[in-house]
Structures are given as C-alpha cells and as structure tokens.
C-alpha cells in the first residue's frame, strides 16, 4: 500500500501538471508545497517548469526552510512557510499566476464582490496584498496580516496564492479564485455584475458555517461583502478600489483615509498634508 508521503508526492506532481496545463503558470512560474505530519515540507524546486515536474525533483526542507535533500526549494519558500506558521490548519499551498486572477492583481483589485453564491460558500473574499519584491520579506510582510483570515490572496502585480487542509483543497481554492475572476471580467463585458443583497449573503454565511465549509474565524471574509453592515475585518485591509465599481463601470471609487491623504499629498507636489 502507498504511504502518506508517496501519495503526497504523487498529488504534488499532479497539481503541478494541472497548473501548467490550465495555463495558471508558464515557463518556471509558480510553486507548490505541502506540510507532512512530521513537519517536513515537500516543495517544488526553484526555476523548474511545472509541466515537466517529476517526483525526483521535489525539494524537502524543515519548517525553517533548511534543506533536507539535494534540491533547492522554490525562491518563494518563505511565503509558504509564513502560511504554515500562521495557519496550523493549512497543509498545502499553491502559488500561480492565473491570467484572470492576476489581471485583478495587476489592476489593483481584490476579488471581494458578492457576485456568486458558491464562492461565498466555499472561498470567501480574496483580498489584495500590496506589492512586495518576490522572494523577499517585503512580500511576506505584505501578506502576513491577511493570511489568518482568508484562504486565498492576490499579490499586487504578481499573482495569486491559495491554501488549504490538503493539496486538493488548496488547488480547488486556486481554481475557484481564477474562475470567479474570469466571470467577473466577462460580466463586465455584458454590461456589469449585480451583487447579491446583504440578506442573501448573511444566509450563505450561515449555511457555510453550519456545513463547516468555513468557520466563524473566516467571518472577516465577509468584510468585502457586508461592509455596509460594518462587520469588522481584523486584517484591517480594505481594497482601495472595489471590484464592483469597476465591474459596473461606475466612476465612483472608495478610498481609505490614509489613501486619500496620500493622494492629496501627491497633488500638492509632494507636500505632506498630514
Ligand atoms: P520559483 O521558481 O523560485 O519557485 O519562483 C517562481 C515564481 O513564480 C516566483 O513568483
């Protein structure tokens, strides 16, 4: 019978191939990892095409990132380790550059509008972490406050990451993220999307909690959906331009106080107006 580690290695390769076949990555983009029960991390090696991944290429590290075999793990391993540190429930992480999700990240938009009931049930809001240079602390620092409260993140001008209790859940969440972004963009082409009303969203949140799809700790994921009803977001991160404003072609955008001050500062030739 196949051991847990053998199954994990096989699934990791299947997900790498799926990522490449679906064009969620090209060339050597993206990285995938999982945490084994003994704490070891299996990760894709750096600079390797996910379409050509084989089991013998898998890197093994400890939770501090120390290499335990002769493969050099992804340059983004620190991002994976951050997620494992912040979320004891997470056992797998998938990072890719799926075109529609990444288009949101490039446009400076979170995927946080309540346009699809199934997405509220299974994924919740996907916030946008501000830009940080890949493979540096800038990236992990930008992501850190968001990781606890969300199951997938967009990384500004970079891509997307999703995580879950096993590889398939991490993959499913990445797939849902990309599918949602695609539908949001297509609905714009058809004239704009219509958000679900607040009472429908509350019902969905109750259903997802009763069914155990997402726990109460994820309630903050409603921040983008229920911002009118003032559910607080412990991550403190609110996207500055709401996807619905863009999706509906509205000229109105919302800014936080800090962003407004920043804009005014720029408008008066760099003078600080704070
Ligand atoms: P690695 O090849 O080091 O995993 O980096 C790929 C990537 O997508 C960086 O964002």
């Amino acid at each position: 019978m196949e051991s847990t580690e053998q199954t994990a290695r096989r699934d990791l390769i299947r997900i790498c191939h799926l990522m490449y076949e679906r064009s969620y990555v090209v060339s050597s983009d993206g990285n995938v990892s999982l945490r084994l029960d003994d704490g070891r991390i299996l990760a894709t090696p750096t600079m390797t095409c996910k379409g050509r991944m084989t089991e013998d290429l898998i890197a093994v590290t400890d939770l501090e990132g120390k290499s335990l075999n002769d493969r050099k793990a992804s340059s983004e391993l620190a991002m994976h380790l951050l997620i494992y540190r912040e979320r004891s429930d997470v056992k797998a992480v998938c990072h890719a550059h799926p075109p529609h999700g990444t288009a949101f990240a490039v446009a400076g938009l979170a995927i946080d509008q309540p346009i699809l009931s199934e997405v509220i049930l299974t994924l919740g809001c996907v916030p946008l972490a501000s830009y940080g240079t890949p493979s540096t602390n800038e990236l992990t620092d930008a992501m850190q406050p968001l990781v606890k409260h969300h199951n997938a993140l967009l990384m500004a001008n970079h891509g997307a990451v999703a995580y879950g209790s096993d590889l398939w859940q991490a993959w499913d969440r990445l797939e849902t993220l990309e599918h949602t972004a695609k539908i949001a963009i297509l609905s714009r082409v058809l004239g704009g999307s219509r958000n679900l009303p607040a009472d429908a969203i509350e019902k969905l949140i109750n259903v997802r909690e009763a069914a155990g799809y997402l726990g109460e700790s994820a309630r903050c994921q409603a921040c983008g959906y229920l911002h009118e009803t003032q559910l607080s977001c412990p991550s403190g991160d609110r996207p500055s331009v709401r996807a619905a404003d863009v999706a509906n072609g509205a000229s109105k955008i919302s800014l936080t106080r800090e962003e407004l001050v920043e804009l005014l500062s720029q408008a008066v030739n760099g003078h600080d107006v704070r």
Side-chain angles (χ1 to χ4, degrees):
M1 202 178 107
E2 199 174 58
S3 71
T4 314
E5 180 167 345
Q6 281 169 332
T7 309
R9 285 174 171 271
R10 191 170 40 82
D11 286 346
L12 189 141
I13 299 304
R14 284 173 67 188
I15 282 168
C16 286
H17 293 173
L18 264 177
M19 263 169 56
Y20 187 76
E21 283 156 17
R22 297 275 179 89
S23 296
Y24 285 18
V25 289
V26 295
S27 182
S28 61
D29 293 352
N31 27 76
V32 181
S33 75
L34 66 90
R35 166 163 54 183
L36 292 167
D37 288 343
D38 62 11
R40 283 177 305 139
I41 304 292
L42 303 185
T44 49
T46 189
M47 297 298 288
T48 304
C49 174
K50 305 306 166 291
R52 299 195 288 273
M53 263 301 288
T54 48
E55 285 190 32
D56 57 308
L57 298 178
I58 294 173
V60 186
T61 77
D62 66 15
L63 271 167
E64 272 70 54
K66 187 169 152 275
S67 190
L68 300 177
N69 74 349
D70 59 355
R71 300 288 177 201
K72 190 167 162 19
S74 165
S75 59
E76 299 285 22
L77 185 67
M79 168 178 78
H80 295 242
L81 299 179
L82 164 80
I83 295 169
Y84 294 129
R85 267 199 309 277
E86 294 285 320
R87 293 277 298 267
S88 57
D89 59 312
V90 166
K91 295 281 165 27
V93 177
C94 291
H95 161 58
H97 308 155
H100 300 89
T102 304
F104 269 73
V106 167
L109 298 171
I111 303 173
D112 66 348
Q113 291 307 299
I115 56 173
L116 291 164
S117 52
E118 292 300 314
V119 177
I120 296 173
L121 283 178
T122 59
L123 184 65
C125 291
V126 180
L128 174 70
S130 51
Y131 179 74
T133 307
S135 82
T136 71
N137 288 347
E138 284 174 19
L139 182 66
T140 44
D141 289 351
M143 293 170 65
Q144 193 270 334
L146 302 169
V147 172
K148 265 203 172 70
H149 309 289
H150 302 272
N151 293 308
L153 309 177
L154 292 178
M155 300 133 84
N157 300 89
H158 183 164
V161 62
Y163 32 97
S165 58
D166 60 33
L167 270 171
W168 291 108
Q169 187 178 57
W171 165 256
D172 290 344
R173 286 174 169 166
L174 186 66
E175 203 177 30
T176 300
L177 177 159
E178 172 62 358
H179 198 234
T180 308
K182 187 174 181 180
I183 290 168
I185 292 167
L186 287 173
S187 66
R188 170 77 174 97
V189 175
L190 296 175
S193 58
R194 288 160 168 233
N195 286 350
L196 284 161
D199 60 333
I201 298 162
E202 289 216 65
K203 282 184 201 162
L204 289 164
I205 288 173
N206 291 337
V207 170
R208 81 182 185 191
E209 288 176 6
Y213 299 142
L214 292 175
E216 252 184 65
S217 63
R219 270 228 152 202
C220 146
Q221 292 176 326
C223 63
Y225 300 153
L226 290 178
H227 52 99
E228 304 302 340
T229 59
Q230 302 305 312
L231 266 186
S232 67
C233 175
S235 68
D237 191 271
R238 295 288 179 85
S240 54
V241 182
R242 309 213 73 88
D245 294 333
V246 174
N248 292 324
S251 56
K252 197 178 106 194
I253 62 167
S254 37
L255 297 172
T256 63
R257 185 182 180 282
E258 293 80 71
E259 288 161 344
L260 182 60
V261 169
E262 179 65 31
L263 272 181
L264 290 171
S265 297
Q266 287 169 12
V268 291
N269 295 326
H271 290 97
D272 197 337
V273 297
R274 277 168 272 211

